[in-house]
């Protein structure tokens, strides 16, 4: 079947531009950018756009995506972002140049995998500064772990240390958090007698400190995905309105209209739960014109978070395979068979690009 819709368009020139804009600003602080491709399912064209735009490294949490890119001829280097499972360490060493790590047992097992494969592997040891995901909470334990890598694991190279903020605990990256990380790095450096190559200050949320010109000295690495791919979190959810140098429309979702009808705006009958065991609330606005689209939660994670580009259209909700729009206020007429466009947030892009029945179009006018 030659399925055309739903469709995801990737605009490579806009991705290159976004990468370049972010990289240029980071360079003023001596910060290199790891372009995070996990949200784009490790799409090789996206990976190349990151490198073309100036990223010095590519990051993902899935080894399969590294393999996909390497087999497509994208050289890397590659950073594994999710701390590795013991069961995958040989593949980590085989395919990835660097990994984030937070357990001594895994570091020791990485040494064993390196010896078996005759390779060396770089690690960035993670500190937990309050977001409560991966990383050492006890900072002296972290220092001891880093000294252990340096002195006792000859095939594991201690490249540096890092932190994650905002992904689980919603903790905002602030200058004091960055200063705490740099302080840990300096203590480790004093113990091992050399400078660390990498002090990785976090992900897209940490880029705010670069944008606001408040990043402390010492941070020299950021892992940025959404801030380049979609550029919506910071501009929409964080309310940073002076970031117009980034394109928010590098990805476009298109879906076909299945039905156009005028119906009540409030369901009729006894309301229980929807197909996802949720209890939505509905506003009674009387009879309203609406359309049904051939895209749903299974395609984009949460169809209600799609952003219509059709003026006056409002997403009401959806189900696994449908999205419902209120089009009562639209000046443009909508008909069955029409193709409507949507801007996407990070999670919608991540779901859409990973589906094998999503038609993907790559636009490159270079």
């Amino acid at each position: 079947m030659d399925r055309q819709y739903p469709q995801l368009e990737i605009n490579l020139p806009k991705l290159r531009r976004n990468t370049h804009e972010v990289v240029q600003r980071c360079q003023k602080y001596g910060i290199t950018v790891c372009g995070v491709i996990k949200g784009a399912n490790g799409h090789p064209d996206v990976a190349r756009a990151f490198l073309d735009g100036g990223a010095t490294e590519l990051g993902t949490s899935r080894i399969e995506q590294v393999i996909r890119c390497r087999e497509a001829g994208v050289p890397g280097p590659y950073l594994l972002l999710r701390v590795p499972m013991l069961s995958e360490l040989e593949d980590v060493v085989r395919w990835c140049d660097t990994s984030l790590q937070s357990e001594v047992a895994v570091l020791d097992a990485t040494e064993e995998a390196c010896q078996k494969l005759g390779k060396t592997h770089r690690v960035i040891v993670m500190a937990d500064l309050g977001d409560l995901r991966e990383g050492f909470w006890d900072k002296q334990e972290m220092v001891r772990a880093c000294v252990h890598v340096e002195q006792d694991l000859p095939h594991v190279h201690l490249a540096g240390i890092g932190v994650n903020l905002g992904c689980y605990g919603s903790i905002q990256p602030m200058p004091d958090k960055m200063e705490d990380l740099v302080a840990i790095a300096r203590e480790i450096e004093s113990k091992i007698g050399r400078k660390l190559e990498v002090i990785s200050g976090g992900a897209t949320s940490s880029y705010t400190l670069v944008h606001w010109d408040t990043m402390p000295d010492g941070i020299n690495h950021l892992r940025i995905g959404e801030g380049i791919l979609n550029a919506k979190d910071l501009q929409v959810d964080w309310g940073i309105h002076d970031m117009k140098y980034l394109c928010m429309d590098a990805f476009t979702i298109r879906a076909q209209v299945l039905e156009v009808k005028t119906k009540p705006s409030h369901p009729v009958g006894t309301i229980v739960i929807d197909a996802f065991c949720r209890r939505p609330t509905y506003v009674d606005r009387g009879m309203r014109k609406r359309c049904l689209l051939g895209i749903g939660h299974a395609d984009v994670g949460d169809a209600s978070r799609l952003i219509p580009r059709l003026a006056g259209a409002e997403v009401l909700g959806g189900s696994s395979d449908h999205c419902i729009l209120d089009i009562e206020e639209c000046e443009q007429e909508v008909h069955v068979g029409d193709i409507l466009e949507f801007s996407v947030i990070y999670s919608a892009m991540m779901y859409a690009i990973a589906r094998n029945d999503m038609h993907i179009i790559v636009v490159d006018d270079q």
Side-chain angles (χ1 to χ4, degrees), residues 36-215:
V36 178
I37 58 173
K38 67 175 184 177
N41 196 30
H43 197 292
D45 288 327
V46 172
R48 289 191 189 94
F50 273 123
L51 294 177
D52 290 344
T56 58
E57 185 179 35
L58 298 171
T60 181
S61 56
R62 311 285 171 150
I63 297 172
E64 294 81 2
Q65 295 177 8
V66 176
I67 296 172
R68 179 185 184 188
C69 285
R70 286 201 185 276
E71 291 181 342
V74 184
Y78 290 91
L79 168 63
L80 183 68
L81 298 174
R82 184 171 66 185
V83 293
M85 296 178 272
L86 286 170
S87 59
E88 65 182 356
L89 278 176
E90 286 191 23
D91 282 333
V92 172
V93 171
R94 183 178 289 112
W95 293 102
C96 303
D97 303 278
T98 311
S99 60
L100 305 184
Q101 298 230 11
S102 63
E103 282 284 355
V104 172
V106 181
L107 289 162
D108 289 343
T110 302
E111 170 68 21
E112 294 175 8
C114 287
Q115 291 182 24
K116 181 176 181 179
L117 296 173
K119 295 174 72 82
T120 58
H121 183 75
R122 302 168 77 247
V123 296
I124 296 171
V125 177
M126 299 296 283
D128 189 335
L129 299 182
D131 206 63
L132 305 183
R133 200 177 71 176
E134 78 276 44
F136 286 88
W137 182 256
D138 185 317
K139 303 311 175 287
Q140 291 309 307
E141 181 187 3
M142 179 177 174
V143 171
R144 291 192 295 271
C146 289
V147 172
H148 171 62
V149 173
E150 181 76 5
Q151 296 180 350
D152 304 324
L153 307 182
H155 297 84
V156 179
H157 176 65
L158 178 64
I161 66 170
V163 69
N164 177 77
L165 294 165
C167 288
Y168 168 71
S170 309
I171 296 301
Q172 180 178 352
M174 298 290 283
D176 64 322
K177 296 289 186 184
M178 300 298 106
E179 290 165 356
D180 288 346
L181 185 67
V182 172
I184 296 170
R186 300 297 176 242
E187 182 173 353
I188 292 167
E189 290 170 344
S190 71
K191 298 286 187 182
I192 65 175
R194 67 172 177 87
K195 296 285 287 184
L196 294 172
E197 299 145 36
V198 177
I199 305 178
S200 187
T204 292
S205 58
S206 294
Y207 176 72
T208 54
L209 301 180
V210 172
H211 176 77
W212 288 325
D213 198 31
T214 57
M215 179 66 81

Side-chain angles (χ1 to χ4, degrees), residues 135-352:
F136 286 88
W137 182 256
D138 185 317
K139 303 311 175 287
Q140 291 309 307
E141 181 187 3
M142 179 177 174
V143 171
R144 291 192 295 271
C146 289
V147 172
H148 171 62
V149 173
E150 181 76 5
Q151 296 180 350
D152 304 324
L153 307 182
H155 297 84
V156 179
H157 176 65
L158 178 64
I161 66 170
V163 69
N164 177 77
L165 294 165
C167 288
Y168 168 71
S170 309
I171 296 301
Q172 180 178 352
M174 298 290 283
D176 64 322
K177 296 289 186 184
M178 300 298 106
E179 290 165 356
D180 288 346
L181 185 67
V182 172
I184 296 170
R186 300 297 176 242
E187 182 173 353
I188 292 167
E189 290 170 344
S190 71
K191 298 286 187 182
I192 65 175
R194 67 172 177 87
K195 296 285 287 184
L196 294 172
E197 299 145 36
V198 177
I199 305 178
S200 187
T204 292
S205 58
S206 294
Y207 176 72
T208 54
L209 301 180
V210 172
H211 176 77
W212 288 325
D213 198 31
T214 57
M215 179 66 81
D217 291 337
I219 301 298
N220 63 9
H221 182 272
L222 290 177
R223 314 178 303 274
I224 301 178
E226 194 283 336
I228 294 172
L229 295 167
N230 305 97
K232 282 189 178 296
D233 282 7
L234 300 182
Q235 296 193 57
V236 176
D237 296 329
W238 286 63
I240 304 176
H241 301 300
D242 58 344
M243 204 176 271
K244 302 302 183 185
Y245 54 85
L246 294 178
C247 303
M248 293 193 289
D249 58 351
F251 289 82
T252 299
I253 288 277
R254 296 188 180 95
Q256 191 165 50
V257 176
L258 310 176
E259 173 187 294
V260 179
K261 295 274 192 297
T262 297
K263 296 185 180 183
S265 52
H266 194 281
V268 179
T270 301
I271 294 177
V272 283
I273 57 174
D274 67 11
F276 288 80
C277 298
R278 299 177 300 193
R279 299 180 184 274
T281 57
Y282 306 92
V283 177
D284 191 346
R285 300 163 67 188
M287 299 293 288
R288 304 279 293 186
K289 192 173 185 179
R290 57 172 58 197
C291 70
L292 194 66
L293 293 159
I295 192 169
H297 301 326
D299 302 291
V300 294
D302 183 354
S304 68
R305 300 200 69 189
L306 290 172
I307 304 167
R309 293 183 182 168
L310 175 64
E314 176 188 351
V315 177
L316 297 175
S319 59
S320 297
D321 309 297
H322 302 88
C323 181
I324 303 169
L325 264 62
D326 182 300
I327 53 173
E328 182 73 26
E329 309 297 334
C330 294
E331 294 181 6
Q332 177 183 327
E333 283 291 323
V334 177
H335 305 94
V336 171
D338 284 354
I339 308 301
L340 301 187
E341 292 190 346
F342 298 84
S343 297
V344 293
I345 60 172
Y346 184 81
S347 60
M349 175 202 67
M350 180 177 67
Y351 273 91

